[in-house]
Amino acid sequence: MSRVFGSVRAKATLGATVVVAIALVAAGAAVLLSLRANLNGQAGTEAERSAREVAADLSGGASYDRLRLDDDQRPVQVVDGKGVLVAASENLRRISGTGTGAVKPRAQRTAAPGSDGDAADDHGGGKGGDDKGGDGKGGGDDKGGDGRGKDGRGRGAGADDDYSLEPGRIGAEVNFSEGSATLGGDTADYRFAAVEVSVKSKGALTVYAGAPLSAEQGAVRTALTVMLTGLPLLLAVVAAVTWRVTRRALRPVEGIRSEMAAITASEDLARRVPVPDTQDEVAGLARTTNETLAALETSVERQRRFVADASHELRSPIASLRTQLEVGAAHPELLDVTGAVEDTVRLQRLAADLLLLARLDAGERPAGTRFDLAGLAREEVSRRPGVTVEGASAEVVGSRGQMARLLGNLLDNARRHARSRVAVTLRAEGPWAVLEVADDGAGVPAAERERIFERFVRLDEARGRDDGGAGLGLAIARDVALRHGGTLTVGEARGGGALFTLRLPGHA
């Protein structure tokens, strides 16, 4: 499984599909809930309208047998204050979800002489009814028998309970419920509305009217079917499109990868990866990769040239020293001890320079020691006659040993090319400590002022190696300056010679 979803394309496709699926499911659920709520609301409105129509008839004095209860799609029940069914739709066979499960109203009795006209419709009863009073004189369920309550509101038979509505008033509050009913031979789910109405001589009645939920259920089923059918298809389209788009977007990455593999196999750092003709992140990756390859090629070429130049520089003194020793072994009287010592010292200096360059190339950071640059300059000048120094103190932070090597290399280079004078000056320029080494020699041509800082570069190739050195002094000086966060440049002195300027971050 990890291999199947290990690629970026597979992860992107899976992620996009899952996100879209979650969004669609959430949206579909919201649509279904909203649709169901709206249709339930419509059914409730229809049920309330039917209930209020029946309640209006009752409040207008209509008898139970004259109520409009013949709708084949909307079951109606009328229940008195005791929960007894007093009227219902004629074709109602079964019902649930209302105040009573009865489908046949209670047997009605004939009104007693002198009673209200509506008393005949009351559910109180004679001998065949459910009343306890059997005299048939309008007693009904009321124990009082006179048809009037204490409040004088005409609480007729069968209305023992107090009610809050005035006679002839329909309640504003509607209670909704859901259930099922069988009308004729058809059973369906309904939303019922319960409306209270107060009727003189009948008391408080509750009218239950239902509206079918078949439209709501059908609409929800249809919407759900469409969603269940369309969701997989839509997810398949999203997955396919994401797969193709991701594949197209990652095609340049595959080109970069294959080219890098070829470069690694061939070890040809001159090759470059293809850069797509776009302005996106992949193009930026390709350009950065090419820049890295170029820097790596330069570094490798520099190392090769360094090794070749180091081997060449080491070969000469070693060969000279070996020749002198072989001659001395064969003819002791001809041994040039002084020359052998000079060659040995030169080898020692060259080895030390190569070791320092190797440490600098390895990224060695200078120690964080604070010292006085002016004091260090005076120490180096004291070892070299004919050099003057002037300037104020300037504290810097770094490696005192490496900085001594830098100053020594600058002074040795200046003395080698000066005619008569070498001057060292120090000053402060804002946050920088500036040290200048000037000579009155021939100077450095403008075209060669950067080249002299390269390793094993000597402008005067005709002079002897003993006089000119190995060409590492200035290269070491610049590398040390850069490692200390400074710069080392060369220009023209006032007297026409070379002017080397060292800038280092000062420390207050």
Side-chain angles (χ1 to χ4, degrees):
M1 184 64 67
S2 60
R3 295 183 61 184
V4 175
F5 296 103
S7 65
V8 175
R9 292 173 61 192
K11 292 178 180 179
T13 301
L14 179 61
T17 304
V18 170
V19 170
V20 172
I22 294 174
L24 290 178
V25 169
V31 169
L32 290 176
L33 292 176
S34 177
L35 178 62
R36 181 176 181 181
N38 290 335
L39 294 176
N40 276 350
Q42 294 179 7
T45 301
E46 295 177 2
E48 180 183 358
R49 184 170 63 248
S50 299
R52 288 191 179 277
E53 289 177 356
V54 175
D57 292 342
L58 289 172
S59 66
S63 59
Y64 295 141
D65 57 354
R66 295 179 182 178
L67 297 176
R68 291 173 292 178
L69 307 179
D70 56 350
D71 194 332
D72 293 337
Q73 294 184 350
R74 297 180 183 178
V76 178
Q77 286 181 314
V78 180
V79 180
D80 65 5
K82 292 183 177 181
V84 177
L85 181 67
V86 295
S89 300
E90 295 181 359
N91 55 353
L92 183 62
R93 299 292 179 268
R94 186 186 63 82
I95 193 169
S96 63
T98 61
T100 177
V103 295
K104 294 297 183 181
R106 181 175 178 175
Q108 301 174 6
R109 64 178 177 84
T110 304
S115 64
D116 294 336
D118 292 334
D121 297 329
D122 197 2
H123 62 274
K127 297 180 180 181
D130 293 334
D131 288 333
K132 295 180 180 179
D135 57 358
K137 294 183 179 180
D141 291 332
D142 196 358
K143 295 180 181 179
D146 61 355
R148 287 187 175 270
K150 294 181 181 180
D151 56 0
R153 295 183 180 180
R155 294 173 59 193
D160 288 337
D161 297 332
D162 293 336
Y163 51 91
S164 60
L165 295 176
E166 294 289 340
R169 296 292 298 273
I170 301 175
E173 183 179 357
V174 182
N175 296 320
F176 293 99
S177 61
E178 292 186 7
S180 62
T182 302
L183 288 174
D186 298 329
T187 300
D189 294 328
Y190 290 85
R191 183 168 179 81
F192 295 100
V195 176
E196 292 186 356
V197 59
S198 176
V199 181
K200 185 177 180 180
S201 75
K202 294 185 177 63
L205 303 176
T206 303
V207 180
Y208 293 92
L213 295 176
S214 56
E216 175 262 336
Q217 294 172 347
V220 171
R221 282 195 299 268
T222 302
L224 183 60
T225 302
V226 171
M227 290 180 182
L228 293 178
T229 303
L231 180 61
L233 297 177
L234 184 57
L235 292 180
V237 172
V238 170
V241 171
T242 305
W243 182 267
R244 291 180 63 86
V245 171
T246 308
R247 177 183 180 184
R248 187 169 184 176
L250 294 178
R251 188 176 300 166
V253 177
E254 177 60 25
I256 295 173
R257 187 207 63 79
S258 60
E259 184 63 23
M260 286 295 296
I263 293 173
T264 303
S266 64
E267 298 183 357
D268 183 8
L269 296 179
R271 298 173 62 174
R272 297 293 181 265
V273 300
V275 179
D277 189 17
T278 58
Q279 299 298 326
D280 55 9
E281 292 80 358
V282 178
L285 173 63
R287 287 191 290 269
T288 302
T289 302
N290 285 337
E291 292 173 0
T292 303
L293 288 173
L296 183 60
E297 181 185 14
T298 301
S299 177
V300 170
E301 183 62 28
R302 183 181 180 184
Q303 290 297 111
R304 290 174 180 172
R305 195 165 57 245
F306 176 77
V307 172
D309 292 339
S311 300
H312 178 73
E313 293 294 335
L314 289 171
R315 188 182 298 115
S316 297
I318 291 176
S320 176
L321 181 60
R322 178 179 178 180
T323 299
Q324 294 179 33
L325 293 176
E326 288 177 348
V327 170
H331 305 282
E333 69 279 3
L334 299 179
L335 178 62
D336 184 5
V337 178
T338 302
V341 171
E342 291 177 354
D343 286 340
T344 303
V345 172
R346 185 182 175 198
L347 282 174
Q348 183 180 7
R349 290 177 178 174
L350 183 57
D353 289 343
L354 293 176
L355 180 60
L356 178 57
L357 286 174
R359 293 204 309 267
L360 294 176
D361 289 341
E364 179 181 280
R365 295 293 178 182
T369 304
R370 183 189 302 182
F371 59 91
D372 183 12
L373 184 61
L376 180 61
R378 291 187 179 93
E379 291 181 11
E380 294 298 322
V381 167
S382 64
R383 300 189 183 97
R384 296 166 176 83
V387 181
T388 62
V389 59
E390 60 182 24
S393 301
E395 287 192 345
V396 295
V397 176
S399 172
R400 198 173 190 278
Q402 292 184 9
M403 198 58 61
R405 176 70 68 88
L406 184 155
L407 295 176
N409 290 349
L410 292 180
L411 293 174
D412 291 340
N413 179 77
R415 292 183 63 200
R416 187 179 301 117
H417 296 92
R419 295 187 180 94
S420 60
R421 182 179 64 85
V422 176
V424 179
T425 58
L426 289 99
R427 67 178 186 276
E429 290 185 358
W432 297 93
V434 181
L435 182 145
E436 294 180 343
V437 178
D439 62 67
D440 58 354
V444 180
E448 303 291 341
R449 287 177 183 174
E450 283 299 318
R451 183 170 174 266
I452 61 173
F453 291 106
E454 297 179 5
R455 299 174 183 182
F456 299 105
V457 171
R458 289 168 297 194
L459 299 183
D460 188 3
E461 296 292 346
R463 64 174 179 259
R465 291 186 180 273
D466 292 340
D467 296 333
L472 294 177
L474 294 180
I476 291 175
R478 170 165 277 189
D479 283 353
V480 170
L482 293 177
R483 290 296 185 275
H484 284 74
T487 60
L488 179 60
T489 58
V490 61
E492 185 176 353
R494 293 182 180 180
L499 175 64
F500 286 87
T501 302
L502 172 66
R503 294 176 179 270
L504 294 174
H507 191 280

